[in-house]
Amino acid sequence: MQLLDGTACSQQIRQEIAVEVKAIVAAGKRPPHLAAVLVGDDGASQNYVKMKVRDCEEVGFGSTTIRMDASSTETELLAKVEKLNRDEAIDGFIVQLPLPPQINENNVILAINPKKDVDGFCPANIGNLSLGLPTFVSATPNGIMELLKRYNIETEGKHCVVLGRSNIVGTPIAVLMSRDTNPGNATVTLAHSRTKNLKELCVSADILIVAIGKTEFVTAEMVKEGAVVIDVGQTRVPDSTRKSGFRNVGDVDFELVKNKCSFITFVTGGVGPMTRASLLQNTLKAYQRR
Ligand code: GUN
């Protein structure tokens, strides 16, 4: 079994981006600038945004964090989005999800200018992705593709089972893995909560991508000997032995599954850092397109 090291790969990507930013600045131009909108005080979201800002600093991007109260209205958030759409100094921005229940996420996503939608969540970007046109591929699926590419994992003709059909991960990764690219060219099955015979299906997977949001859902008997397993899940569970009071748990029971795999990601240092590196890649792309 080989661990897919998202921390090392993302470090490589950050270094590549930092070199480009240095060249931009040396040419007398301003660096790319990413803004993040954070509504409310969800601990995981706060942490994600903090890490995204830290990544920006590391590669030499400018960054802005806009914090809004948990009680903010949809109208207030839409006004912020509109301001960012028009702000010439901002190349790309994200609205960290999930949003408080009084705000309709789709309305917010629809309001983002697709040219600044570095999350790749807008209909125009998802449509372009499906058509194979230039787009911002959302960060987690893009990070998974980078990880497969950088480890030279053979995907052509393989059976790839994706668990979970979310707009952010499951659906776009299913599209990417089936496209005529490398990585890609896989035969993809998109499985979800209503799928029958899930265990049998998973066991037939050469590549299993799990984004189902259920802790340690995938156990050893669901994994084929020699499979590649990508765990996107990251759920905080209380843990009094940790200083933070919690630990992150994936959708795959790593300890049970690891010895059956050819390659596997761990909940920490796996897909997460690759997602953040992809956001930087998209921000650089947004800057270059302007
Ligand atoms: N919440 C969980 N993942 C993401 C992501 O990739 N982007 C945003 N905006 N929110 C998220």
Side-chain angles (χ1 to χ4, degrees):
M1 175 280 287
Q2 189 177 350
L3 197 64
L4 294 168
D5 188 344
T7 303
C9 269
S10 67
Q11 180 63 24
Q12 235 177 43
I13 295 169
R14 283 199 300 275
Q15 272 164 7
E16 290 160 11
I17 294 173
V19 168
E20 292 202 45
V21 175
K22 271 209 182 89
I24 289 168
V25 174
K29 296 181 209 145
R30 69 160 179 87
H33 195 113
L34 173 73
V37 184
L38 178 61
V39 187
D41 36 32
D42 175 74
S45 290
Q46 282 181 336
N47 197 41
Y48 290 143
V49 169
K50 198 168 83 188
M51 290 192 292
K52 287 170 185 177
V53 168
R54 197 191 300 155
D55 291 340
C56 283
E57 284 165 8
E58 194 190 311
V59 299
F61 285 3
S63 69
T64 304
T65 307
I66 296 154
R67 289 192 175 76
M68 296 179 69
D69 230 60
S71 61
S72 301
T73 64
E74 189 174 305
T75 309
E76 285 166 335
L77 178 54
L78 289 174
K80 285 272 191 278
V81 167
E82 203 34 52
K83 205 163 161 228
L84 290 165
N85 282 340
R86 285 196 306 265
D87 190 336
E88 285 292 320
I90 305 284
D91 300 295
F93 66 95
I94 63 156
V95 177
Q96 187 65 31
L97 303 178
L99 292 168
Q102 73 275 16
I103 301 177
N104 181 313
E105 274 179 15
N106 282 336
N107 289 345
V108 175
I109 289 167
L110 283 167
I112 298 173
N113 176 354
K115 292 187 173 139
K116 293 192 174 187
D117 169 34
V118 285
D119 257 332
F121 291 171
C122 286
N125 285 320
I126 293 174
N128 285 339
L129 173 79
S130 305
L131 294 171
L133 296 172
T135 187
F136 295 116
V137 179
S138 55
T140 302
N142 196 55
I144 295 169
M145 296 302 274
E146 281 281 348
L147 207 51
L148 295 172
K149 183 160 84 189
R150 287 174 190 247
Y151 276 87
N152 288 314
I153 291 174
E154 175 87 45
T155 59
E156 185 168 323
K158 303 285 182 187
H159 185 206
C160 173
V161 172
V162 178
L163 286 191
R165 58 182 156 186
S166 71
N167 291 341
I168 298 182
V169 185
T171 299
I173 194 68
V175 172
L176 288 169
M177 287 297 284
S178 60
R179 285 239 304 266
D180 182 6
T181 52
N182 182 27
N185 273 322
T187 303
V188 178
T189 305
L190 182 54
H192 46 77
S193 54
R194 308 292 169 92
T195 300
K196 292 201 167 76
N197 304 325
L198 200 58
K199 179 182 162 281
E200 288 75 11
L201 193 62
C202 290
V203 171
S204 75
D206 304 303
I207 301 165
L208 184 59
I209 301 176
V210 192
I212 204 163
K214 291 183 180 158
T215 54
E216 297 179 336
F217 180 81
V218 172
T219 52
E221 64 274 13
M222 294 169 80
V223 175
K224 178 156 105 177
E225 202 69 49
V228 176
V229 176
I230 309 280
D231 186 0
V232 181
Q234 221 179 81
T235 305
R236 281 184 170 193
V237 301
D239 184 343
S240 57
T241 67
R242 305 278 176 105
K243 210 171 104 195
S244 61
F246 69 87
R247 80 194 137 88
N248 284 320
V249 179
D251 290 355
V252 175
D253 192 328
F254 182 83
E255 286 307 318
L256 296 182
V257 167
K258 66 179 182 192
N259 292 325
K260 288 189 95 175
C261 303
S262 54
F263 294 93
I264 186 169
T265 61
F266 185 54
V267 60
T268 308
V271 173
M274 294 303 291
T275 298
R276 283 159 41 208
S278 297
L279 183 63
L280 297 174
Q281 286 177 316
N282 278 349
T283 305
L284 181 61
K285 197 194 268 184
Y287 172 88
Q288 287 163 337
R289 279 188 185 172
R290 291 180 75 202

